[in-house]
Amino acid sequence: MRPFILWNAVRLTPCLNRIRTIFGLPPRVDDSDRCRNHFAIAYEAQPDTAQVDYNFYTALNNIAGSAQLQARVGYFGICVNPDGGSWLCSNNATALAKEVSVDQDPLNLIWLAAQFKDMIVFPYLIIIAIIFAFICLLLLATFPGWHEEEDSEGSEREVKPFPSRPVSQIALAIIFISSIFVLVSVLWQHTASVAASVIAQDFGNGVVKSGVGTSAMVMGWFSFTLLIIVTIGLLVMILSIRVLSSMV
């Protein structure tokens, strides 16, 4: 899971006339062509009648200035791109903050990213699930394979004995627990990441843009799907063996 917070590189100050007009405020003297060009490509602030003081976003935009810091948060570290060039990565937010000037991070987004990593991102359930899945794989490796044996008539044939029922049941229980851990972790962090992303973006209306990493979410839910497939497969195998054993 890799949520990121992106500062828009284009200032919205030249385009505030249209927003001020919506709220019945007198427009500022400005170049309309310049405003039109910026308005087309900039991250636009969203005015709303529920906003008591819209000038707050104007002040926030003035504080942000021309900063264009990008920050990406992972399970074990933070990566920032302060000027559109190379990325700086570390698991220590203080070390990253020392590499960035005040003008590059006037809203303390590195600190915000560190808070997000410490309070929302939680990898340990997934780590436990991986360990359980590996144990299940080891148990599946003990299942007997095909081998040749002689029948009552003395001819050789290939047979495959049923796997041990206790081992199969233990493997099913372990992979089921692993699936639950992944489900809880992915669902919890997906929901929390989206909520934190929306709050950060709405609070910095027109200045901060945030989102949740699509690839991280896809990998998380895809992993859960694979574990569920293994769980269902083991369950079907155990039930099939039980039915076949009762028929013999």
Side-chain angles (χ1 to χ4, degrees):
M1 201 173 314
R2 194 177 56 184
F4 68 93
I5 300 172
L6 171 64
W7 280 23
N8 191 20
V10 182
R11 295 188 61 183
L12 293 177
T13 305
C15 302
L16 290 177
N17 283 345
R18 301 187 183 188
I19 300 173
R20 292 173 65 86
T21 303
I22 294 175
F23 283 86
L25 300 175
R28 296 176 180 174
V29 178
D30 198 2
D31 185 353
S32 59
D33 291 336
R34 182 185 177 192
C35 179
R36 188 180 302 110
N37 293 335
H38 279 76
F39 197 81
I41 62 176
Y43 169 48
E44 178 185 352
Q46 300 296 325
D48 193 278
T49 54
Q51 297 169 358
V52 178
D53 184 11
Y54 186 80
N55 291 327
F56 166 76
Y57 301 115
T58 305
L60 202 62
N61 181 72
N62 292 332
I63 295 174
S66 60
Q68 51 180 345
L69 178 78
Q70 298 183 52
R72 294 189 176 186
V73 184
Y75 283 120
F76 302 105
I78 303 171
C79 290
V80 298
N81 187 340
D83 54 7
S86 59
W87 287 84
L88 304 174
C89 297
S90 176
N91 60 354
N92 190 330
T94 303
L96 289 176
K98 292 180 180 179
E99 299 293 330
V100 176
S101 65
V102 176
D103 293 337
Q104 291 174 327
D105 188 12
L107 295 183
N108 294 322
L109 287 188
I110 294 179
W111 171 80
L112 184 62
Q115 293 295 105
F116 178 86
K117 183 177 77 70
D118 295 338
M119 297 183 178
I120 295 179
V121 177
F122 186 79
Y124 301 107
L125 282 180
I126 293 181
I127 293 175
I128 296 174
I130 293 174
I131 295 174
F132 279 12
F134 181 73
I135 295 175
C136 178
L137 181 63
L138 295 179
L139 292 176
L140 293 177
T142 64
F143 284 10
W146 293 97
H147 65 276
E148 294 183 353
E149 67 176 23
E150 292 185 357
D151 57 12
S152 58
E153 299 178 355
S155 59
E156 292 185 350
R157 62 178 181 179
E158 289 188 349
V159 296
K160 184 177 183 180
F162 288 152
S164 171
R165 180 175 297 180
V167 174
S168 301
Q169 292 174 345
I170 293 174
L172 175 61
I174 290 177
I175 200 64
F176 177 73
I177 295 174
S178 178
S179 302
I180 295 300
F181 280 2
V182 171
L183 173 62
V184 171
S185 181
V186 173
L187 182 61
W188 164 25
Q189 293 181 79
H190 191 173
T191 305
S193 298
V194 171
S197 172
V198 171
I199 291 174
Q201 180 166 312
D202 288 348
F203 183 78
N205 192 2
V207 178
V208 177
K209 185 173 179 60
S210 62
V212 179
T214 304
S215 59
M217 290 296 99
V218 170
M219 291 176 63
W221 287 111
F222 183 70
S223 301
F224 170 70
T225 302
L226 291 180
L227 291 176
I228 286 297
I229 292 175
V230 175
T231 303
I232 295 175
L234 280 174
L235 179 61
V236 171
M237 184 194 71
I238 292 174
L239 295 178
S240 300
I241 291 175
R242 181 178 299 178
V243 172
L244 292 175
S245 299
S246 63
M247 296 174 60
V248 176

